[in-house]
Amino acid sequence: MNRAEQASDAKHPDEVVVEVVGCATNDAHAVFSALRESFASDRAADDVPTEVAGASATVWTATVDVSELRAEAAPRPLSAPVTVDLQGGYWAVARLRESLAHAFAVRIVGTAAGDQEQEVQLQLESR
């Protein structure tokens, strides 16, 4: 399938919703920085995650457009494993996951498949 077919195919949207769950703010920032290095995102470079007071885990989100790869992200250190949830079309989620593998060690820990979208839970660690 060529790029024009992917762009027009409703089964392969170019946006992926990314959730970074319950980790240190510097680790969430490392993940979002790696994504921004590779793709356009709705999170600005100066949009650094901040901790929210409360009893539940903090979830930071971004929407990433994977239609154009800017560059492969450089490896980044993490202080602990980070859980990342991806939701989007099959092609877009796979492309984003492959890009993250340049910056982190990536392990798939769960998936849920739909007709046109999927959800994938990843665990990221320092390379």
PDB file of all heavy atoms in Angstrom, residues 16-20 28-41 43 61-66 68-71 73-74 76 84-86 95-97 99-100 103-104 124:
ATOM      1  N   VAL A  16      -2.342   8.624  16.518  1.00  0.00           N
ATOM      2  CA  VAL A  16      -2.344   7.655  17.607  1.00  0.00           C
ATOM      3  C   VAL A  16      -2.462   8.430  18.917  1.00  0.00           C
ATOM      4  O   VAL A  16      -1.738   9.406  19.133  1.00  0.00           O
ATOM      5  CB  VAL A  16      -1.044   6.816  17.622  1.00  0.00           C
ATOM      6  CG1 VAL A  16      -1.028   5.848  18.801  1.00  0.00           C
ATOM      7  CG2 VAL A  16      -0.874   6.074  16.302  1.00  0.00           C
ATOM      8  N   VAL A  17      -3.377   8.007  19.767  1.00  0.00           N
ATOM      9  CA  VAL A  17      -3.484   8.578  21.107  1.00  0.00           C
ATOM     10  C   VAL A  17      -2.517   7.795  21.998  1.00  0.00           C
ATOM     11  O   VAL A  17      -2.544   6.564  22.029  1.00  0.00           O
ATOM     12  CB  VAL A  17      -4.921   8.486  21.659  1.00  0.00           C
ATOM     13  CG1 VAL A  17      -4.976   8.971  23.096  1.00  0.00           C
ATOM     14  CG2 VAL A  17      -5.862   9.288  20.772  1.00  0.00           C
ATOM     15  N   VAL A  18      -1.660   8.533  22.675  1.00  0.00           N
ATOM     16  CA  VAL A  18      -0.625   7.939  23.524  1.00  0.00           C
ATOM     17  C   VAL A  18      -0.907   8.344  24.962  1.00  0.00           C
ATOM     18  O   VAL A  18      -1.080   9.528  25.254  1.00  0.00           O
ATOM     19  CB  VAL A  18       0.780   8.438  23.113  1.00  0.00           C
ATOM     20  CG1 VAL A  18       1.854   7.852  24.015  1.00  0.00           C
ATOM     21  CG2 VAL A  18       1.056   8.127  21.649  1.00  0.00           C
ATOM     22  N   GLU A  19      -0.947   7.356  25.855  1.00  0.00           N
ATOM     23  CA  GLU A  19      -1.097   7.610  27.287  1.00  0.00           C
ATOM     24  C   GLU A  19       0.114   7.041  28.005  1.00  0.00           C
ATOM     25  O   GLU A  19       0.449   5.865  27.826  1.00  0.00           O
ATOM     26  CB  GLU A  19      -2.364   6.940  27.827  1.00  0.00           C
ATOM     27  CG  GLU A  19      -3.637   7.494  27.257  1.00  0.00           C
ATOM     28  CD  GLU A  19      -4.873   6.802  27.790  1.00  0.00           C
ATOM     29  OE1 GLU A  19      -4.757   5.699  28.373  1.00  0.00           O
ATOM     30  OE2 GLU A  19      -5.967   7.361  27.626  1.00  0.00           O
ATOM     31  N   VAL A  20       0.758   7.873  28.783  1.00  0.00           N
ATOM     32  CA  VAL A  20       1.881   7.456  29.617  1.00  0.00           C
ATOM     33  C   VAL A  20       1.350   7.416  31.038  1.00  0.00           C
ATOM     34  O   VAL A  20       0.815   8.411  31.535  1.00  0.00           O
ATOM     35  CB  VAL A  20       3.075   8.428  29.480  1.00  0.00           C
ATOM     36  CG1 VAL A  20       4.228   8.002  30.365  1.00  0.00           C
ATOM     37  CG2 VAL A  20       3.515   8.508  28.014  1.00  0.00           C
ATOM     38  N   ALA A  28       8.106  10.452  31.747  1.00  0.00           N
ATOM     39  CA  ALA A  28       7.040  10.830  30.814  1.00  0.00           C
ATOM     40  C   ALA A  28       7.573  11.844  29.804  1.00  0.00           C
ATOM     41  O   ALA A  28       7.296  11.739  28.600  1.00  0.00           O
ATOM     42  CB  ALA A  28       5.842  11.400  31.569  1.00  0.00           C
ATOM     43  N   HIS A  29       8.355  12.794  30.278  1.00  0.00           N
ATOM     44  CA  HIS A  29       8.941  13.796  29.382  1.00  0.00           C
ATOM     45  C   HIS A  29       9.880  13.142  28.372  1.00  0.00           C
ATOM     46  O   HIS A  29       9.891  13.510  27.188  1.00  0.00           O
ATOM     47  CB  HIS A  29       9.665  14.869  30.187  1.00  0.00           C
ATOM     48  CG  HIS A  29      10.170  16.000  29.355  1.00  0.00           C
ATOM     49  ND1 HIS A  29       9.332  16.796  28.601  1.00  0.00           N
ATOM     50  CD2 HIS A  29      11.422  16.467  29.143  1.00  0.00           C
ATOM     51  CE1 HIS A  29      10.053  17.708  27.963  1.00  0.00           C
ATOM     52  NE2 HIS A  29      11.324  17.521  28.266  1.00  0.00           N
ATOM     53  N   ALA A  30      10.649  12.140  28.791  1.00  0.00           N
ATOM     54  CA  ALA A  30      11.556  11.428  27.884  1.00  0.00           C
ATOM     55  C   ALA A  30      10.769  10.738  26.769  1.00  0.00           C
ATOM     56  O   ALA A  30      11.163  10.769  25.601  1.00  0.00           O
ATOM     57  CB  ALA A  30      12.401  10.419  28.657  1.00  0.00           C
ATOM     58  N   VAL A  31       9.649  10.111  27.124  1.00  0.00           N
ATOM     59  CA  VAL A  31       8.824   9.429  26.127  1.00  0.00           C
ATOM     60  C   VAL A  31       8.241  10.439  25.145  1.00  0.00           C
ATOM     61  O   VAL A  31       8.338  10.267  23.918  1.00  0.00           O
ATOM     62  CB  VAL A  31       7.707   8.609  26.798  1.00  0.00           C
ATOM     63  CG1 VAL A  31       6.728   8.066  25.751  1.00  0.00           C
ATOM     64  CG2 VAL A  31       8.288   7.478  27.635  1.00  0.00           C
ATOM     65  N   PHE A  32       7.654  11.516  25.640  1.00  0.00           N
ATOM     66  CA  PHE A  32       7.062  12.520  24.749  1.00  0.00           C
ATOM     67  C   PHE A  32       8.129  13.210  23.896  1.00  0.00           C
ATOM     68  O   PHE A  32       7.878  13.530  22.736  1.00  0.00           O
ATOM     69  CB  PHE A  32       6.251  13.539  25.544  1.00  0.00           C
ATOM     70  CG  PHE A  32       4.981  12.978  26.110  1.00  0.00           C
ATOM     71  CD1 PHE A  32       4.674  13.143  27.449  1.00  0.00           C
ATOM     72  CD2 PHE A  32       4.089  12.263  25.325  1.00  0.00           C
ATOM     73  CE1 PHE A  32       3.501  12.617  27.982  1.00  0.00           C
ATOM     74  CE2 PHE A  32       2.916  11.733  25.841  1.00  0.00           C
ATOM     75  CZ  PHE A  32       2.625  11.914  27.178  1.00  0.00           C
ATOM     76  N   SER A  33       9.316  13.412  24.433  1.00  0.00           N
ATOM     77  CA  SER A  33      10.409  14.021  23.660  1.00  0.00           C
ATOM     78  C   SER A  33      10.822  13.110  22.510  1.00  0.00           C
ATOM     79  O   SER A  33      11.083  13.576  21.396  1.00  0.00           O
ATOM     80  CB  SER A  33      11.607  14.310  24.560  1.00  0.00           C
ATOM     81  OG  SER A  33      11.284  15.302  25.496  1.00  0.00           O
ATOM     82  N   ALA A  34      10.909  11.805  22.777  1.00  0.00           N
ATOM     83  CA  ALA A  34      11.261  10.855  21.720  1.00  0.00           C
ATOM     84  C   ALA A  34      10.196  10.860  20.620  1.00  0.00           C
ATOM     85  O   ALA A  34      10.520  10.853  19.424  1.00  0.00           O
ATOM     86  CB  ALA A  34      11.425   9.456  22.304  1.00  0.00           C
ATOM     87  N   LEU A  35       8.937  10.890  21.017  1.00  0.00           N
ATOM     88  CA  LEU A  35       7.861  10.925  20.032  1.00  0.00           C
ATOM     89  C   LEU A  35       7.905  12.200  19.205  1.00  0.00           C
ATOM     90  O   LEU A  35       7.728  12.172  17.985  1.00  0.00           O
ATOM     91  CB  LEU A  35       6.502  10.793  20.732  1.00  0.00           C
ATOM     92  CG  LEU A  35       6.214   9.423  21.348  1.00  0.00           C
ATOM     93  CD1 LEU A  35       4.947   9.479  22.183  1.00  0.00           C
ATOM     94  CD2 LEU A  35       6.120   8.360  20.270  1.00  0.00           C
ATOM     95  N   ARG A  36       8.144  13.339  19.849  1.00  0.00           N
ATOM     96  CA  ARG A  36       8.216  14.628  19.142  1.00  0.00           C
ATOM     97  C   ARG A  36       9.398  14.664  18.183  1.00  0.00           C
ATOM     98  O   ARG A  36       9.339  15.329  17.150  1.00  0.00           O
ATOM     99  CB  ARG A  36       8.333  15.772  20.148  1.00  0.00           C
ATOM    100  CG  ARG A  36       7.183  16.711  20.147  1.00  0.00           C
ATOM    101  CD  ARG A  36       7.384  17.936  20.997  1.00  0.00           C
ATOM    102  NE  ARG A  36       8.365  17.842  22.046  1.00  0.00           N
ATOM    103  CZ  ARG A  36       8.149  17.368  23.280  1.00  0.00           C
ATOM    104  NH1 ARG A  36       6.958  16.943  23.615  1.00  0.00           N
ATOM    105  NH2 ARG A  36       9.106  17.330  24.167  1.00  0.00           N
ATOM    106  N   GLU A  37      10.495  13.982  18.525  1.00  0.00           N
ATOM    107  CA  GLU A  37      11.650  13.944  17.638  1.00  0.00           C
ATOM    108  C   GLU A  37      11.294  13.214  16.336  1.00  0.00           C
ATOM    109  O   GLU A  37      11.790  13.557  15.278  1.00  0.00           O
ATOM    110  CB  GLU A  37      12.816  13.235  18.335  1.00  0.00           C
ATOM    111  CG  GLU A  37      14.116  13.284  17.573  1.00  0.00           C
ATOM    112  CD  GLU A  37      15.278  12.709  18.361  1.00  0.00           C
ATOM    113  OE1 GLU A  37      15.188  12.566  19.598  1.00  0.00           O
ATOM    114  OE2 GLU A  37      16.289  12.391  17.719  1.00  0.00           O
ATOM    115  N   SER A  38      10.413  12.237  16.437  1.00  0.00           N
ATOM    116  CA  SER A  38      10.058  11.425  15.270  1.00  0.00           C
ATOM    117  C   SER A  38       8.840  11.933  14.510  1.00  0.00           C
ATOM    118  O   SER A  38       8.782  11.803  13.282  1.00  0.00           O
ATOM    119  CB  SER A  38       9.789   9.983  15.714  1.00  0.00           C
ATOM    120  OG  SER A  38      10.952   9.415  16.263  1.00  0.00           O
ATOM    121  N   PHE A  39       7.844  12.469  15.223  1.00  0.00           N
ATOM    122  CA  PHE A  39       6.565  12.809  14.603  1.00  0.00           C
ATOM    123  C   PHE A  39       6.010  14.127  15.136  1.00  0.00           C
ATOM    124  O   PHE A  39       6.422  14.600  16.185  1.00  0.00           O
ATOM    125  CB  PHE A  39       5.523  11.713  14.899  1.00  0.00           C
ATOM    126  CG  PHE A  39       5.919  10.339  14.485  1.00  0.00           C
ATOM    127  CD1 PHE A  39       6.223   9.371  15.427  1.00  0.00           C
ATOM    128  CD2 PHE A  39       5.986   9.994  13.140  1.00  0.00           C
ATOM    129  CE1 PHE A  39       6.580   8.081  15.045  1.00  0.00           C
ATOM    130  CE2 PHE A  39       6.346   8.710  12.746  1.00  0.00           C
ATOM    131  CZ  PHE A  39       6.637   7.755  13.703  1.00  0.00           C
ATOM    132  N   ALA A  40       5.018  14.645  14.432  1.00  0.00           N
ATOM    133  CA  ALA A  40       4.285  15.815  14.930  1.00  0.00           C
ATOM    134  C   ALA A  40       3.387  15.363  16.085  1.00  0.00           C
ATOM    135  O   ALA A  40       2.843  14.263  16.079  1.00  0.00           O
ATOM    136  CB  ALA A  40       3.432  16.412  13.819  1.00  0.00           C
ATOM    137  N   SER A  41       3.258  16.234  17.086  1.00  0.00           N
ATOM    138  CA  SER A  41       2.476  15.911  18.278  1.00  0.00           C
ATOM    139  C   SER A  41       1.738  17.152  18.748  1.00  0.00           C
ATOM    140  O   SER A  41       2.156  18.274  18.470  1.00  0.00           O
ATOM    141  CB  SER A  41       3.417  15.423  19.386  1.00  0.00           C
ATOM    142  OG  SER A  41       2.734  15.290  20.613  1.00  0.00           O
ATOM    143  N   ARG A  43       1.664  17.930  21.810  1.00  0.00           N
ATOM    144  CA  ARG A  43       2.388  18.388  22.997  1.00  0.00           C
ATOM    145  C   ARG A  43       3.587  19.207  22.553  1.00  0.00           C
ATOM    146  O   ARG A  43       4.456  18.709  21.843  1.00  0.00           O
ATOM    147  CB  ARG A  43       2.868  17.219  23.842  1.00  0.00           C
ATOM    148  CG  ARG A  43       1.750  16.498  24.558  1.00  0.00           C
ATOM    149  CD  ARG A  43       2.308  15.502  25.552  1.00  0.00           C
ATOM    150  NE  ARG A  43       2.787  16.177  26.738  1.00  0.00           N
ATOM    151  CZ  ARG A  43       2.109  16.266  27.878  1.00  0.00           C
ATOM    152  NH1 ARG A  43       0.905  15.738  27.974  1.00  0.00           N
ATOM    153  NH2 ARG A  43       2.616  16.872  28.916  1.00  0.00           N
ATOM    154  N   THR A  61      -1.287  12.426  28.369  1.00  0.00           N
ATOM    155  CA  THR A  61      -1.703  12.025  27.028  1.00  0.00           C
ATOM    156  C   THR A  61      -1.151  12.950  25.953  1.00  0.00           C
ATOM    157  O   THR A  61      -0.818  14.114  26.229  1.00  0.00           O
ATOM    158  CB  THR A  61      -3.242  11.997  26.890  1.00  0.00           C
ATOM    159  OG1 THR A  61      -3.742  13.321  27.085  1.00  0.00           O
ATOM    160  CG2 THR A  61      -3.865  11.046  27.879  1.00  0.00           C
ATOM    161  N   ALA A  62      -1.077  12.411  24.763  1.00  0.00           N
ATOM    162  CA  ALA A  62      -0.694  13.178  23.581  1.00  0.00           C
ATOM    163  C   ALA A  62      -1.338  12.507  22.374  1.00  0.00           C
ATOM    164  O   ALA A  62      -1.613  11.304  22.401  1.00  0.00           O
ATOM    165  CB  ALA A  62       0.818  13.209  23.410  1.00  0.00           C
ATOM    166  N   THR A  63      -1.569  13.291  21.343  1.00  0.00           N
ATOM    167  CA  THR A  63      -1.997  12.753  20.067  1.00  0.00           C
ATOM    168  C   THR A  63      -0.837  12.964  19.103  1.00  0.00           C
ATOM    169  O   THR A  63      -0.329  14.079  18.967  1.00  0.00           O
ATOM    170  CB  THR A  63      -3.262  13.457  19.554  1.00  0.00           C
ATOM    171  OG1 THR A  63      -4.303  13.268  20.528  1.00  0.00           O
ATOM    172  CG2 THR A  63      -3.705  12.879  18.224  1.00  0.00           C
ATOM    173  N   VAL A  64      -0.411  11.872  18.468  1.00  0.00           N
ATOM    174  CA  VAL A  64       0.762  11.887  17.605  1.00  0.00           C
ATOM    175  C   VAL A  64       0.340  11.561  16.177  1.00  0.00           C
ATOM    176  O   VAL A  64      -0.375  10.591  15.945  1.00  0.00           O
ATOM    177  CB  VAL A  64       1.809  10.863  18.109  1.00  0.00           C
ATOM    178  CG1 VAL A  64       3.029  10.842  17.206  1.00  0.00           C
ATOM    179  CG2 VAL A  64       2.206  11.179  19.548  1.00  0.00           C
ATOM    180  N   ASP A  65       0.778  12.390  15.233  1.00  0.00           N
ATOM    181  CA  ASP A  65       0.500  12.175  13.814  1.00  0.00           C
ATOM    182  C   ASP A  65       1.710  11.460  13.215  1.00  0.00           C
ATOM    183  O   ASP A  65       2.788  12.039  13.104  1.00  0.00           O
ATOM    184  CB  ASP A  65       0.276  13.516  13.124  1.00  0.00           C
ATOM    185  CG  ASP A  65      -0.035  13.391  11.648  1.00  0.00           C
ATOM    186  OD1 ASP A  65       0.211  12.311  11.065  1.00  0.00           O
ATOM    187  OD2 ASP A  65      -0.507  14.380  11.067  1.00  0.00           O
ATOM    188  N   VAL A  66       1.515  10.203  12.821  1.00  0.00           N
ATOM    189  CA  VAL A  66       2.631   9.395  12.330  1.00  0.00           C
ATOM    190  C   VAL A  66       2.758   9.406  10.804  1.00  0.00           C
ATOM    191  O   VAL A  66       3.500   8.619  10.231  1.00  0.00           O
ATOM    192  CB  VAL A  66       2.540   7.937  12.845  1.00  0.00           C
ATOM    193  CG1 VAL A  66       2.565   7.892  14.350  1.00  0.00           C
ATOM    194  CG2 VAL A  66       1.310   7.235  12.296  1.00  0.00           C
ATOM    195  N   GLU A  68       4.243  11.405   8.809  1.00  0.00           N
ATOM    196  CA  GLU A  68       5.569  11.767   8.303  1.00  0.00           C
ATOM    197  C   GLU A  68       6.613  11.553   9.390  1.00  0.00           C
ATOM    198  O   GLU A  68       6.546  12.180  10.454  1.00  0.00           O
ATOM    199  CB  GLU A  68       5.594  13.227   7.858  1.00  0.00           C
ATOM    200  CG  GLU A  68       6.906  13.640   7.251  1.00  0.00           C
ATOM    201  CD  GLU A  68       6.899  15.087   6.781  1.00  0.00           C
ATOM    202  OE1 GLU A  68       5.825  15.594   6.415  1.00  0.00           O
ATOM    203  OE2 GLU A  68       7.975  15.705   6.803  1.00  0.00           O
ATOM    204  N   LEU A  69       7.571  10.681   9.114  1.00  0.00           N
ATOM    205  CA  LEU A  69       8.664  10.428  10.049  1.00  0.00           C
ATOM    206  C   LEU A  69       9.709  11.520   9.877  1.00  0.00           C
ATOM    207  O   LEU A  69      10.281  11.673   8.802  1.00  0.00           O
ATOM    208  CB  LEU A  69       9.280   9.052   9.789  1.00  0.00           C
ATOM    209  CG  LEU A  69      10.457   8.659  10.667  1.00  0.00           C
ATOM    210  CD1 LEU A  69      10.012   8.534  12.132  1.00  0.00           C
ATOM    211  CD2 LEU A  69      11.059   7.350  10.185  1.00  0.00           C
ATOM    212  N   ARG A  70       9.941  12.285  10.940  1.00  0.00           N
ATOM    213  CA  ARG A  70      10.935  13.363  10.898  1.00  0.00           C
ATOM    214  C   ARG A  70      12.341  12.801  11.012  1.00  0.00           C
ATOM    215  O   ARG A  70      13.242  13.161  10.260  1.00  0.00           O
ATOM    216  CB  ARG A  70      10.699  14.339  12.045  1.00  0.00           C
ATOM    217  CG  ARG A  70       9.411  15.086  11.960  1.00  0.00           C
ATOM    218  CD  ARG A  70       9.236  15.941  13.184  1.00  0.00           C
ATOM    219  NE  ARG A  70       8.028  16.728  13.096  1.00  0.00           N
ATOM    220  CZ  ARG A  70       7.550  17.443  14.088  1.00  0.00           C
ATOM    221  NH1 ARG A  70       8.166  17.459  15.263  1.00  0.00           N
ATOM    222  NH2 ARG A  70       6.454  18.130  13.937  1.00  0.00           N
ATOM    223  N   ALA A  71      12.559  11.953  12.019  1.00  0.00           N
ATOM    224  CA  ALA A  71      13.863  11.354  12.288  1.00  0.00           C
ATOM    225  C   ALA A  71      13.664  10.219  13.279  1.00  0.00           C
ATOM    226  O   ALA A  71      12.667  10.192  13.997  1.00  0.00           O
ATOM    227  CB  ALA A  71      14.816  12.399  12.888  1.00  0.00           C
ATOM    228  N   ALA A  73      14.265   8.602  16.693  1.00  0.00           N
ATOM    229  CA  ALA A  73      14.576   9.161  18.004  1.00  0.00           C
ATOM    230  C   ALA A  73      15.836   8.522  18.571  1.00  0.00           C
ATOM    231  O   ALA A  73      16.055   7.316  18.427  1.00  0.00           O
ATOM    232  CB  ALA A  73      13.407   8.944  18.964  1.00  0.00           C
ATOM    233  N   ALA A  74      16.641   9.342  19.214  1.00  0.00           N
ATOM    234  CA  ALA A  74      17.850   8.853  19.872  1.00  0.00           C
ATOM    235  C   ALA A  74      17.460   8.146  21.171  1.00  0.00           C
ATOM    236  O   ALA A  74      16.439   8.476  21.775  1.00  0.00           O
ATOM    237  CB  ALA A  74      18.779  10.026  20.175  1.00  0.00           C
ATOM    238  N   ARG A  76      17.042   7.255  24.966  1.00  0.00           N
ATOM    239  CA  ARG A  76      16.867   8.110  26.140  1.00  0.00           C
ATOM    240  C   ARG A  76      16.816   7.238  27.378  1.00  0.00           C
ATOM    241  O   ARG A  76      16.200   6.171  27.361  1.00  0.00           O
ATOM    242  CB  ARG A  76      15.568   8.902  26.023  1.00  0.00           C
ATOM    243  CG  ARG A  76      15.645  10.001  24.983  1.00  0.00           C
ATOM    244  CD  ARG A  76      14.267  10.587  24.736  1.00  0.00           C
ATOM    245  NE  ARG A  76      14.329  11.839  24.018  1.00  0.00           N
ATOM    246  CZ  ARG A  76      14.643  11.967  22.740  1.00  0.00           C
ATOM    247  NH1 ARG A  76      14.972  10.919  22.027  1.00  0.00           N
ATOM    248  NH2 ARG A  76      14.646  13.155  22.161  1.00  0.00           N
ATOM    249  N   VAL A  84       3.040   2.480  28.572  1.00  0.00           N
ATOM    250  CA  VAL A  84       2.493   3.369  27.547  1.00  0.00           C
ATOM    251  C   VAL A  84       1.348   2.639  26.854  1.00  0.00           C
ATOM    252  O   VAL A  84       1.504   1.493  26.433  1.00  0.00           O
ATOM    253  CB  VAL A  84       3.580   3.752  26.518  1.00  0.00           C
ATOM    254  CG1 VAL A  84       2.993   4.602  25.404  1.00  0.00           C
ATOM    255  CG2 VAL A  84       4.731   4.467  27.184  1.00  0.00           C
ATOM    256  N   ASP A  85       0.202   3.311  26.738  1.00  0.00           N
ATOM    257  CA  ASP A  85      -0.946   2.770  26.027  1.00  0.00           C
ATOM    258  C   ASP A  85      -1.097   3.526  24.716  1.00  0.00           C
ATOM    259  O   ASP A  85      -1.056   4.757  24.699  1.00  0.00           O
ATOM    260  CB  ASP A  85      -2.226   2.917  26.849  1.00  0.00           C
ATOM    261  CG  ASP A  85      -2.190   2.098  28.129  1.00  0.00           C
ATOM    262  OD1 ASP A  85      -1.640   0.982  28.097  1.00  0.00           O
ATOM    263  OD2 ASP A  85      -2.716   2.566  29.154  1.00  0.00           O
ATOM    264  N   LEU A  86      -1.264   2.775  23.622  1.00  0.00           N
ATOM    265  CA  LEU A  86      -1.443   3.353  22.293  1.00  0.00           C
ATOM    266  C   LEU A  86      -2.817   2.971  21.776  1.00  0.00           C
ATOM    267  O   LEU A  86      -3.251   1.825  21.948  1.00  0.00           O
ATOM    268  CB  LEU A  86      -0.394   2.810  21.319  1.00  0.00           C
ATOM    269  CG  LEU A  86       1.069   2.877  21.747  1.00  0.00           C
ATOM    270  CD1 LEU A  86       1.950   2.228  20.684  1.00  0.00           C
ATOM    271  CD2 LEU A  86       1.485   4.312  22.001  1.00  0.00           C
ATOM    272  N   ARG A  95       3.546   1.738  13.361  1.00  0.00           N
ATOM    273  CA  ARG A  95       4.603   2.688  13.001  1.00  0.00           C
ATOM    274  C   ARG A  95       5.134   3.418  14.238  1.00  0.00           C
ATOM    275  O   ARG A  95       6.334   3.599  14.398  1.00  0.00           O
ATOM    276  CB  ARG A  95       4.068   3.703  11.988  1.00  0.00           C
ATOM    277  CG  ARG A  95       5.153   4.624  11.485  1.00  0.00           C
ATOM    278  CD  ARG A  95       4.752   5.352  10.253  1.00  0.00           C
ATOM    279  NE  ARG A  95       5.932   5.989   9.692  1.00  0.00           N
ATOM    280  CZ  ARG A  95       5.897   6.839   8.702  1.00  0.00           C
ATOM    281  NH1 ARG A  95       4.760   7.140   8.128  1.00  0.00           N
ATOM    282  NH2 ARG A  95       7.000   7.383   8.251  1.00  0.00           N
ATOM    283  N   LEU A  96       4.246   3.806  15.126  1.00  0.00           N
ATOM    284  CA  LEU A  96       4.674   4.492  16.337  1.00  0.00           C
ATOM    285  C   LEU A  96       5.479   3.547  17.242  1.00  0.00           C
ATOM    286  O   LEU A  96       6.513   3.921  17.778  1.00  0.00           O
ATOM    287  CB  LEU A  96       3.470   5.046  17.090  1.00  0.00           C
ATOM    288  CG  LEU A  96       3.847   6.010  18.205  1.00  0.00           C
ATOM    289  CD1 LEU A  96       2.937   7.204  18.190  1.00  0.00           C
ATOM    290  CD2 LEU A  96       3.777   5.325  19.539  1.00  0.00           C
ATOM    291  N   ARG A  97       5.024   2.310  17.379  1.00  0.00           N
ATOM    292  CA  ARG A  97       5.724   1.324  18.207  1.00  0.00           C
ATOM    293  C   ARG A  97       7.131   1.070  17.663  1.00  0.00           C
ATOM    294  O   ARG A  97       8.104   1.017  18.411  1.00  0.00           O
ATOM    295  CB  ARG A  97       4.930   0.018  18.252  1.00  0.00           C
ATOM    296  CG  ARG A  97       5.557  -1.048  19.128  1.00  0.00           C
ATOM    297  CD  ARG A  97       4.713  -2.302  19.202  1.00  0.00           C
ATOM    298  NE  ARG A  97       4.162  -2.767  17.954  1.00  0.00           N
ATOM    299  CZ  ARG A  97       4.830  -3.446  17.029  1.00  0.00           C
ATOM    300  NH1 ARG A  97       6.104  -3.730  17.195  1.00  0.00           N
ATOM    301  NH2 ARG A  97       4.227  -3.840  15.927  1.00  0.00           N
ATOM    302  N   SER A  99       8.927   3.112  15.951  1.00  0.00           N
ATOM    303  CA  SER A  99       9.727   4.308  16.205  1.00  0.00           C
ATOM    304  C   SER A  99      10.220   4.347  17.655  1.00  0.00           C
ATOM    305  O   SER A  99      11.375   4.694  17.911  1.00  0.00           O
ATOM    306  CB  SER A  99       8.907   5.555  15.886  1.00  0.00           C
ATOM    307  OG  SER A  99       9.661   6.707  16.174  1.00  0.00           O
ATOM    308  N   LEU A 100       9.343   3.990  18.587  1.00  0.00           N
ATOM    309  CA  LEU A 100       9.753   3.967  19.996  1.00  0.00           C
ATOM    310  C   LEU A 100      10.907   2.990  20.233  1.00  0.00           C
ATOM    311  O   LEU A 100      11.730   3.199  21.123  1.00  0.00           O
ATOM    312  CB  LEU A 100       8.571   3.590  20.895  1.00  0.00           C
ATOM    313  CG  LEU A 100       7.545   4.676  21.153  1.00  0.00           C
ATOM    314  CD1 LEU A 100       6.330   4.093  21.879  1.00  0.00           C
ATOM    315  CD2 LEU A 100       8.152   5.820  21.956  1.00  0.00           C
ATOM    316  N   ALA A 103      14.385   4.408  20.540  1.00  0.00           N
ATOM    317  CA  ALA A 103      14.738   5.165  21.740  1.00  0.00           C
ATOM    318  C   ALA A 103      14.735   4.315  23.008  1.00  0.00           C
ATOM    319  O   ALA A 103      15.439   4.631  23.971  1.00  0.00           O
ATOM    320  CB  ALA A 103      13.778   6.337  21.917  1.00  0.00           C
ATOM    321  N   PHE A 104      13.945   3.235  23.017  1.00  0.00           N
ATOM    322  CA  PHE A 104      13.758   2.439  24.228  1.00  0.00           C
ATOM    323  C   PHE A 104      13.707   0.950  23.882  1.00  0.00           C
ATOM    324  O   PHE A 104      13.424   0.588  22.742  1.00  0.00           O
ATOM    325  CB  PHE A 104      12.427   2.815  24.914  1.00  0.00           C
ATOM    326  CG  PHE A 104      12.244   4.270  25.149  1.00  0.00           C
ATOM    327  CD1 PHE A 104      11.422   5.034  24.330  1.00  0.00           C
ATOM    328  CD2 PHE A 104      12.894   4.907  26.201  1.00  0.00           C
ATOM    329  CE1 PHE A 104      11.248   6.392  24.549  1.00  0.00           C
ATOM    330  CE2 PHE A 104      12.732   6.266  26.423  1.00  0.00           C
ATOM    331  CZ  PHE A 104      11.910   7.009  25.594  1.00  0.00           C
ATOM    332  N   LEU A 124       8.171   0.254  28.356  1.00  0.00           N
ATOM    333  CA  LEU A 124       9.411   0.818  27.838  1.00  0.00           C
ATOM    334  C   LEU A 124      10.463   0.790  28.930  1.00  0.00           C
ATOM    335  O   LEU A 124      10.166   1.056  30.089  1.00  0.00           O
ATOM    336  CB  LEU A 124       9.211   2.263  27.383  1.00  0.00           C
ATOM    337  CG  LEU A 124       8.070   2.549  26.412  1.00  0.00           C
ATOM    338  CD1 LEU A 124       8.027   4.037  26.081  1.00  0.00           C
ATOM    339  CD2 LEU A 124       8.191   1.716  25.158  1.00  0.00           C
TER     340      LEU A 124
END
